[in-house]
């Protein structure tokens, strides 16, 4: 993937986030505090604006730009989690304009590790990790499809949350899709369009 | 949504401006950050920093001033402030003896405050330590989960640690005391009506005309039980039963009782509730050494109330609570 | 009606009990009367007595204490206290230098306070004088009518006269200053939602989801205009235009700006409104020497706000406002 | 009228007040603060209770009892106004068990004068005075009827209030019956049953 496609990835994702803003907040309303859509929209808007003045960024710098936007504009849990994931990816990619499939997998792995480190969470706790990990798994096996991503997102529904704000609901969190998983699903479905 | 507002997206900016202009004898805004810092220098003393989402006014900026917080970091409504804003707060609070962070136990707050702490330590060589307040016993805690939420008890932590810092306690002393303190308190809240986040424009949950929710969080997170509205006495009894059991409070012990209004509940009801609380505690022969009341850790316009009991394990906590402060809202 | 209550008919009793128990270091209840009096003796000083219907908490009992009121008389909700209760209040406040009554301009308050004044003068030889606060310019006054209502400005009267009494001013001095003071202030309020008197169980008026009422009284008396909810800035502008015209405020003059919450309006909105008020006054080149904010003269759970401006005709008023007090709610 | 009938007068009135409690408060809601019914009910209940322990009171003492009940239990405007009216009547009647029509008129006149003194109001200001004055007038002429009392009450409707809480409404007070006039109407209709 070259840097033009890479930038397109974030372009598609960020516009998808704007489109699904209300839906993301509604999901968060059910088991959290109803701001996930607003949080994410604010972060991606900051990225979109910052992007206007930048041209021909390396893939690493592109990741850094979106990471810093999330980190400095979003707040909440998702801001620093997405932020540190993108920053870890930036570090993993480095100053390049073309990446291989393996580099992509390695960077995403660094990203999810950063999320897990910051969020002190692992799989099946009903967080975005439940999308990142299986997506990376499937990417490795080169068989990721949109349907799979949707099912990873939907599979957070039956889980009982043990991390994040939804964890305070205990059993009452069961039956609702995790909002951060939904926004991560959008991220990977956008990626799928370009690889 | 019926609110006195201009554009919902400007609410935090305008609120901070109104706040620092109103209390300009006590606080100021640090540049164009979301940090409200005290005018009083407190050189050589540990700086106390708190913060979190906005919508809990007067928390946290209303407690900034001599004898309490050095700075408060104001996030968006019900959203933890960002890493760089907390970092600015730490820098503003550092007066040479280190900075102590009072964090409420929410994933977002924890991550943002922790990352900011690391930044200040790495980039500015500031000694930073922290406590994570988790007084809300509505949600069961276990080491495998998020544990309990931080709610109104945080205000007592601010007051007690603030007095210690003012009296020149070291960062380690404050850290040690904070860990003892948070283990001696427990809070339960209930809501009659929901809060509306300005940007959302609609309530996060609905309650029927005769319904209340027990154990609701200060951001409208669902609680442990929905019930029909019942008498103040019965609500006080339910809270006290649970809190007494949790803290294993025994006859003859001394506590601080803090009745906190959620924002939309008038003082009239808070006093009625306090009256019931005191009567029940009297019946249990638990001595209420200090009583605190009012809208201190709110949830925007939510109607509701919370009760915090703090066992007075250290007599000096009472002195710290009584110690003079110069803040807007204590 | 959704309230934290036991039996509606007991609300004032239980509220007073809760209040004096909470603030037992500052106030006490006089026997089984409806009088909350301060613990501080203030011997040889003029006693300041206020009161009125309950439902305006923290007014008036929250302002009882050293440097402010000597006693507050608590009527039923939104109902002036009875003659004999006011009489008890006057007796409790008398420390040898006479008693000064701060009355809000309502028929009921006037009659009950006046009759009590006569009783205390006739039966106990206590020197009693009074002022009738009528700061609400929503209602036009004329000598042929009731004149204007007394609302939030009353709190400033308590603070300024209370400081004077504490500084050993005589009854006559207080009376003279009070008459100057009330002519220099004006208030306007608005409501977003009604208040519910517990015993009535339903709101006294209705407002549609997007409607507000300008000029509403603190008991839910209708105001001067219904309007669609609009921006905070525009509401602040309307109030300031009217108040500036009424007080004939001129460029370069100094004022105190007091933004008062009606009970159910969160501080968030009060700060946003204050921010607009200060910006507009700045544009008019009117200097705001002191800013006061918060739920001080409320209308139970009503959502709404009022703005009071006081022209600083006497520089000492600022000192009186700044003077230390020991009360629950200043 | 003898003291037994006299007591009956207050008995009927106080029970009528209880019956019309909600209606009185509703009237007050329209142009005041909605408490007139509760205020009056509280006062008459105090009188009824105080009355249980008293027997064979003189007419003056009966008036004093109800006057003190209103004065010490009601508050608001109506409490001291009714209170001082009944106290003035007590003074006018003195320690007697039988009164003439003239004595009744004289006492009611003393009563309304006390209301006017305390309330600083006169006729046509949309207060209870607008019932007391014409009632006394008609009593003097011996032609008072229930219909007349009702019409005195109803005639407060078109008036613009210039005294009492309703005065703050200005023109908006027009078209609503004055609650204090309604409760006074009940007083005089009860009287009519006994003379
Ligand atoms: N500890 C955690 N580890 C990983 N992801 C988390 C954690 N806590 C929360 N999340 C993710 O963040 C999402 C919530 O984000 P958001 O609503 O923006 O923040 P907040 O919960 O602070 O309001 C959740 O849906 C979840 O996917
Ligand atoms: N100045 C006055 N003179 C005579 N009657 C008055 C006066 N002010 C009020 N009233 C009477 O009192 C009634 C209101 O009584 P109530 O509602 O019990 O007291 P409040 O107005 O204090 O709430 C009015 O309907 C009117 O008839
Ligand atoms: Mg959220
Ligand atoms: Mg949030
Ligand atoms: Mg009344
Ligand atoms: Mg009334």
């Amino acid at each position: 993937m070259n840097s033009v496609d890479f930038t397109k990835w974030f372009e598609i994702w960020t516009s998808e986030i704007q489109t699904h803003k209300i839906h993301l907040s509604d999901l968060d309303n059910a088991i959290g505090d109803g701001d996930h859509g607003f949080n994410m929209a604010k972060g991606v808007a900051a990225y979109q604006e910052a992007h206007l003045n930048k041209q021909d960024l390396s893939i690493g710098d592109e990741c850094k730009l979106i990471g810093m936007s999330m980190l400095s504009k979003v707040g909440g849990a998702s801001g620093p989690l997405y932020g540190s994931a993108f920053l870890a990816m930036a570090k993993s990619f480095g100053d390049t304009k073309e990446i291989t499939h393996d580099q992509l997998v390695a960077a995403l792995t660094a990203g999810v590790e950063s999320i897990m480190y910051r969020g002190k969470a692992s799989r099946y706790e009903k967080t975005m990790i439940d999308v990142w990990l299986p997506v990376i798994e499937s990417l490795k096996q080169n068989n990721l499809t949109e349907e799979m991503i949707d099912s990873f997102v939907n599979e957070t529904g039956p889980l009982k949350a043990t991390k994040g704000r939804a964890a305070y609901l205990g059993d009452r969190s069961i039956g609702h899709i995790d909002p951060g998983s939904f926004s991560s699903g959008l991220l990977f479905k956008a990626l799928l369009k370009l690889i | 949504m019926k609110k006195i507002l201009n554009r919902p997206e400007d609410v935090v900016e305008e609120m901070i401006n109104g706040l620092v202009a109103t209390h300009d004898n006590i606080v100021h805004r640090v540049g164009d950050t979301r940090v409200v810092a005290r005018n009083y220098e407190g050189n050589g003393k540990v700086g106390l920093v708190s913060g979190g989402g906005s919508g809990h006014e007067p928390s946290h900026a209303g407690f900034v001033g001599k004898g309490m917080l050095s700075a408060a970091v104001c996030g968006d409504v019900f959203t933890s402030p960002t890493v760089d804003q907390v970092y600015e707060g730490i820098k503003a609070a550092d007066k040479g003896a280190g900075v102590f962070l009072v964090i409420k136990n929410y994933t977002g707050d924890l991550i943002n405050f922790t990352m900011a702490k690391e930044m200040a330590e790495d980039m500015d060589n500031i000694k930073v330590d922290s406590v994570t307040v988790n007084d809300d016993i509505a949600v069961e805690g276990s080491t495998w989960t998020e544990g309990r939420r931080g709610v109104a008890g945080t205000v007592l932590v601010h007051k007690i640690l603030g007095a210690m810092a003012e009296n020149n306690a070291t960062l380690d002393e404050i850290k040690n005391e904070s860990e003892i303190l948070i283990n001696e308190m427990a809070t339960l809240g209930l809501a009659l009506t929901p809060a509306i986040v300005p940007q959302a424009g609609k309530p996060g949950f609905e309650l029927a005309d005769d319904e209340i929710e027990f154990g609701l969080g200060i951001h409208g997170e669902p609680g442990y039980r929905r019930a029909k509205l019942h008498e103040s006495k019965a609500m006080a009894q339910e809270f006290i039963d649970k809190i007494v059991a949790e803290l294993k409070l025994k006859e003859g012990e001394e506590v601080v009782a803090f009745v906190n209004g959620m924002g939309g509940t008038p003082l009239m009801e808070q006093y009625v509730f306090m009256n019931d609380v005191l009567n029940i505690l009297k019946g249990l022969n638990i001595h209420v050494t200090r009583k605190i009341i009012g809208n201190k850790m709110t949830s925007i316009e939510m109607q509701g109330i919370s009760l915090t009991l703090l066992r007075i394990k250290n007599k000096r906590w009472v002195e710290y609570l009584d110690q003079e402060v110069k803040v807007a809202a204590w």
Side-chain angles (χ1 to χ4, degrees), chain A residues 6 9 12 62 70 76 85 88 100 107 122 124 131 137-139 160 179 184 189:
Chain A
F6 195 90
W9 175 22
I12 298 174
E62 197 71 58
M70 301 303 291
T100 64
S122 50
Y124 305 121
V131 172
E137 221 37 67
S138 307
L139 272 179
K160 172 170 160 178
S184 289
K189 285 196 273 184

Side-chain angles (χ1 to χ4, degrees), chain B residues 226-242:
Chain B
R226 285 223 170 163
K228 295 277 165 213
L229 179 65
H230 45 289
E231 287 200 324
S232 169
K233 274 186 190 108
M235 300 192 285
Q237 186 74 54
E238 174 159 345
F239 280 3
I240 291 174
D241 287 346
K242 284 189 198 292

Side-chain angles (χ1 to χ4, degrees), chain B residues 273-328:
Chain B
F273 187 75
M274 177 67 100
N275 185 49
D276 292 323
V277 164
L278 296 177
N279 284 337
I280 295 168
L281 289 174
K282 198 173 193 173
L284 296 173
N285 201 16
I286 292 169
H287 303 305
V288 183
T289 307
R290 287 293 178 277
K291 303 112 194 169
I292 297 163
I293 205 163
N295 295 342
K296 306 226 180 264
M297 179 68 77
T298 64
S299 192
I300 325 182
E301 77 273 59
M302 184 186 284
Q303 289 188 336
I305 210 158
S306 71
L307 172 66
T308 304
L309 295 185
L310 166 67
R311 178 197 274 114
I312 303 174
K313 197 161 187 182
N314 182 344
K315 291 272 175 203
R316 272 194 295 178
W317 294 352
V318 177
E319 290 163 35
Y320 294 146
L321 285 173
D322 289 347
Q323 190 169 313
E324 287 274 299
V325 282
K326 191 176 174 189
V327 302

Side-chain angles (χ1 to χ4, degrees), chain B residues 74-87:
Chain B
C74 309
D76 283 343
V77 178
F78 289 177
T79 302
S80 158
T82 58
V83 175
D84 54 330
Q85 294 296 322
V86 180
Y87 171 62

Side-chain angles (χ1 to χ4, degrees), chain A residues 8 25 35 50 61 80 92 121-122 132 148 158 163 183-184 191 193:
Chain A
K8 198 144 226 161
S25 281
D35 61 0
D61 283 346
S92 170
S122 50
W132 282 69
M148 286 170 77
K163 284 287 148 61
S183 58
S184 289
L191 174 62
K193 294 214 163 74

Side-chain angles (χ1 to χ4, degrees), chain A residues 24-25 28-29 31-37 39 76-78 165 179, chain B residues 78-79:
Chain A
L24 287 168
S25 281
D28 196 26
N29 245 333
I31 52 171
D33 58 354
D35 61 0
H36 188 58
N39 290 347
S78 54
R165 208 176 285 276
Chain B
F78 289 177
T79 302

Side-chain angles (χ1 to χ4, degrees), chain B residues 23-227:
Chain B
H23 310 297
D24 55 2
N25 56 330
I26 305 175
V27 296
H28 62 277
R29 184 170 181 166
V30 177
D32 59 356
T33 69
R34 291 286 189 80
V35 176
V36 175
R38 62 188 186 189
N39 301 342
Y40 167 72
E41 281 288 331
N43 281 324
K45 297 179 199 284
V46 170
L48 207 63
V49 174
S50 187
S54 291
H56 307 302
E57 294 69 32
S59 288
H60 303 84
F63 299 120
V64 173
K66 186 175 178 186
M68 226 163 149
L69 299 179
S70 306
V73 192
C74 309
D76 283 343
V77 178
F78 289 177
T79 302
S80 158
T82 58
V83 175
D84 54 330
Q85 294 296 322
V86 180
Y87 171 62
E88 294 296 335
I90 295 173
K91 284 196 295 181
D94 174 42
K95 302 292 170 186
V99 173
F100 193 77
L101 309 179
V102 181
I103 310 173
K104 290 188 292 312
N105 192 30
Y106 298 96
T107 313
D109 293 66
L110 268 170
I111 301 178
N112 288 288
F113 277 73
T114 306
M115 288 174 74
K117 172 176 184 288
E118 292 169 13
M119 271 172 80
E121 287 169 336
D122 295 351
M123 292 163 53
D124 303 83
N125 265 312
I126 302 174
K127 266 175 57 187
V128 187
D129 211 337
S130 69
V131 67
T132 305
V133 184
N134 61 348
D135 53 319
D136 186 0
I137 64 168
V139 189
E140 239 179 83
S142 97
T143 38
W144 305 107
T145 71
E146 289 295 318
R148 310 184 324 195
R149 298 176 294 219
V151 290
T154 313
V155 176
L156 304 182
V157 175
H158 293 162
K159 182 68 182 78
I160 290 172
L161 300 187
M164 286 185 70
E166 181 56 26
N167 299 350
N168 301 305
T170 65
L171 195 58
D172 284 348
E173 287 166 348
I174 292 175
K175 168 70 179 169
N176 289 339
E177 200 71 25
S178 73
E179 294 296 339
I180 303 170
L181 188 58
I182 62 166
N183 281 315
E184 299 298 336
M185 65 182 175
T187 300
L188 276 172
L190 62 85
L192 279 66
T193 63
I196 300 178
V197 174
Q199 276 206 266
K202 58 181 187 204
F205 61 96
E206 309 270 351
L207 281 170
D209 272 356
D210 60 347
E211 251 183 359
I212 57 172
E213 175 130 355
F214 278 96
L216 204 110
I218 54 172
H219 311 94
E221 302 95 337
Y224 63 82
R225 183 162 84 85
R226 285 223 170 163

